[in-house]
Amino acid sequence: MKVQLRTLPTQVAGVLIQRIATDAYPDGLVPSELQISVEFSVSRAVAREALKILSSLDMVDIAQGRRVTLRPIAEWDYLSPLLIEWLPKAQVRELLHELRDARLILEPAIAAEAAVRVTGDDLARLSAVLDAMPRNENDPDDYLRLDLEFHMEICRATRNRILDRFMYSSRWWQLASRRVSNQAPDALPIATQQHRAVFDALAARDPRRAEDAMRVHLEANLIGIMMVDEVPNFR
């Protein structure tokens, strides 16, 4: 397990994120720099940086000479890894289901487009990743890396840079989703078979088959999530 060293402003921001997510400020007002400084025994500079982190996540509005106010929950930056780390697990589970729905909208279509545009070099890279998967089915962390790379390579095969950035920006949530679904019995060997079905469809340059194979794979993720009682701790 990797040990992550957090700066003092990030640690303070993490506590505030947890409070905001659990409705600790029903009046919509977040503690001021001075209040944060006193409560956490930190400098005003640290308090200011913590609030800037919240602002970067679109959780608060900061205006000169006015109190810091909460922004609507629908407008938060849900692609930020900080939210994965600090949101309550119940909310993380809800967002994992929303991620699954979003992926079902995007990735089957991405696979279909990739089947039209895929090159020999693309297939070679995908094949190398796929071949490594069975060897790493007993190492969930390495398998996660391969899994994400497989999906990213399919997206790159579309030659669409905007889609590529969409997929890349959601990588933290995709990893979180896989950590949950991969806990289901025989999840990794089954995932390898599903990835192979997607690869075979791409190699056949068959858009409909690629779309269907990707949809089957993604729908299995939801079953895996539902079979796991606890969301892993991502901190």
Side-chain angles (χ1 to χ4, degrees):
M1 178 182 295
K2 294 182 179 179
V3 176
Q4 294 181 318
L5 299 178
R6 294 299 190 190
T7 64
L8 194 52
T10 302
Q11 293 177 51
V12 173
V15 175
L16 295 173
I17 289 170
Q18 289 178 304
R19 291 179 180 176
I20 292 170
T22 54
D23 297 321
Y25 308 116
D27 60 358
L29 298 177
V30 176
S32 65
E33 284 183 17
L34 178 58
Q35 290 171 319
I36 293 171
S37 177
V38 171
E39 178 184 356
F40 293 92
S41 299
V42 297
S43 68
R44 292 285 292 270
V46 168
R48 187 177 306 117
E49 287 303 311
L51 289 173
K52 285 182 179 179
I53 291 172
L54 297 185
S55 178
S56 72
L57 296 172
D58 295 327
M59 299 182 80
V60 302
D61 279 324
I62 301 175
Q64 187 69 30
R66 296 172 59 187
R67 287 291 303 273
V68 179
T69 57
L70 291 176
R71 296 191 62 182
I73 190 171
E75 297 178 2
W76 296 357
D77 181 8
Y78 289 105
L79 295 181
S80 169
L82 279 179
L83 284 182
I84 300 177
E85 293 188 22
W86 298 115
L87 285 180
K89 288 187 176 182
Q91 293 186 32
V92 171
R93 181 178 287 279
E94 290 176 2
L95 288 164
L96 290 177
H97 282 264
E98 291 181 23
L99 170 70
R100 175 262 183 182
D101 291 342
R103 293 182 68 192
L104 272 173
I105 293 171
L106 285 175
E107 289 199 62
I110 289 173
E113 181 68 13
V116 174
R117 294 177 176 269
V118 70
T119 67
D121 288 342
D122 296 327
L123 291 171
R125 287 191 294 272
L126 282 165
S127 180
V129 175
L130 184 60
D131 288 345
M133 285 180 172
R135 299 194 298 270
N136 288 274
E137 288 173 356
N138 293 321
D139 189 336
D141 287 339
D142 279 349
Y143 195 95
L144 278 173
R145 176 182 56 79
L146 293 167
D147 194 338
L148 183 60
E149 184 60 21
F150 186 84
H151 287 262
M152 285 301 305
E153 283 292 348
I154 292 173
C155 188
R156 294 181 190 120
T158 67
R159 305 297 186 267
N160 187 308
R161 289 170 290 183
I162 302 300
L163 282 176
D164 181 88
R165 292 301 88 187
F166 279 154
M167 287 287 290
Y168 184 78
S169 296
S170 68
R171 66 195 183 281
W172 305 107
W173 281 109
Q174 292 185 51
L175 288 172
S177 175
R178 287 168 172 83
R179 284 197 182 99
V180 176
S181 60
N182 286 352
Q183 294 180 76
D186 300 319
L188 297 185
I190 291 172
T192 299
Q193 294 174 11
Q194 293 168 347
H195 288 131
R196 188 168 298 281
V198 174
F199 175 84
D200 290 344
L202 293 172
R205 271 78 172 181
D206 188 330
R208 173 60 70 85
R209 185 175 156 197
E211 181 176 352
D212 290 345
M214 181 63 76
R215 182 171 288 105
V216 167
H217 172 51
L218 295 175
E219 287 175 343
N221 282 347
L222 177 61
I223 296 173
I225 291 172
M226 293 175 66
M227 291 177 66
V228 177
D229 293 330
E230 289 295 324
V231 176
N233 191 342
F234 301 117
R235 293 177 179 79

